[in-house]
Amino acid sequence: GAVVSQHPSRVICKSGTSVKIECRSLDFQATTMFWYRQFPKKSLMLMATSNEGSKATYEQGVEKDKFLINHASLTLSTLTVTSAHPEDSSFYICSAEESGRSSYEQYFGPGTRLTVT
Amino acid sequence: GESVGLHLPTLSVQEGDNSIINCAYSNSASDYFIWYKQESGKGPQFIIDIRSNMDKRQGQRVTVLLNKTVKHLSLQIAATQPGDSAVYFCANAGNMLTFGGGTRLMVKP
């Protein structure tokens, strides 16, 4: 089946630094990838939709300069949390939509837990 | 706007019993719903889906029921096992996935 990986799985960083999270589709090509944020005991909130070769589409309330998304290839999207603050601590999950398939079929990564101290 | 919500935040069941997790929706982008299972510290896993032309769909130990009249769907897990302990989300699949709030299923041995 389709596998999506994320790296790192856990990261702890100091306030003010930037952190990059990678999302890879391992055995399929993904024109579109999605980035979600999940607070403890809460549901997933879509942050942005990442399209290969074009600018990401951010959801309302998500700062694009704060959460930089790059989707440079059909198998890799990155999310960079810039100038991280403790309130950015969260579980970040990506999903990938296989090229040519509908948005119904998203494959989720295992998530990255970010802790900002 | 569309919203998807769950009736109960936590469900505790005895191992071997059947579990029923409910989800209500108001306006939906589409009549296509997906149930996901999320174990602690992991990403969501697809369990089962159902389209609007169906009112019931069965998988292995799981059944999803869709009642479009009252805009309600449920996930039934037969003979619940400890490995079923997780948070379950329903999601409506339109142009994007819209997730419900989640129900935590706890299975007591």
Side-chain angles (χ1 to χ4, degrees), chain A residues 36 38 42-44 46 59 91 93 103-104 106 108-110, chain B residues 32 34 36 38 41-44 89 93-96 99-100:
Chain A
Y36 296 84
Q38 187 177 31
K42 297 292 183 183
S43 187
L44 285 76
L46 180 65
E59 294 301 302
F91 195 51
I93 303 172
S103 64
Y104 304 154
Q106 291 183 29
F108 285 86
Chain B
Y32 179 73
I34 305 171
Y36 290 94
Q38 186 179 25
K42 298 183 180 179
F89 295 97
N95 291 326
M96 65 182 73
F99 284 88

Side-chain angles (χ1 to χ4, degrees), chain A residues 30-93:
Chain A
T31 307
T32 304
M33 290 185 174
F34 304 86
W35 286 97
Y36 296 84
R37 183 173 181 176
Q38 187 177 31
F39 291 102
K41 300 183 181 180
K42 297 292 183 183
S43 187
L44 285 76
M45 291 192 331
L46 180 65
M47 298 174 65
T49 302
S50 166
N51 295 295
E52 187 267 337
S54 64
K55 290 183 179 180
T57 303
Y58 290 82
E59 294 301 302
Q60 191 173 10
V62 179
E63 299 175 62
K64 62 181 179 181
D65 295 329
K66 171 81 174 169
F67 299 99
L68 299 178
I69 291 172
N70 183 275
H71 193 158
S73 79
L74 287 172
T75 58
L76 173 65
S77 176
T78 61
L79 168 69
T80 301
V81 182
T82 63
S83 186
H85 290 285
E87 57 265 30
D88 298 324
S89 298
S90 191
F91 195 51
Y92 292 88
I93 303 172

Side-chain angles (χ1 to χ4, degrees), chain A residues 93-110:
Chain A
I93 303 172
C94 74
S95 69
E97 177 185 304
E98 189 172 357
S99 298
R101 308 290 288 270
S102 74
S103 64
Y104 304 154
E105 299 184 60
Q106 291 183 29
Y107 303 100
F108 285 86

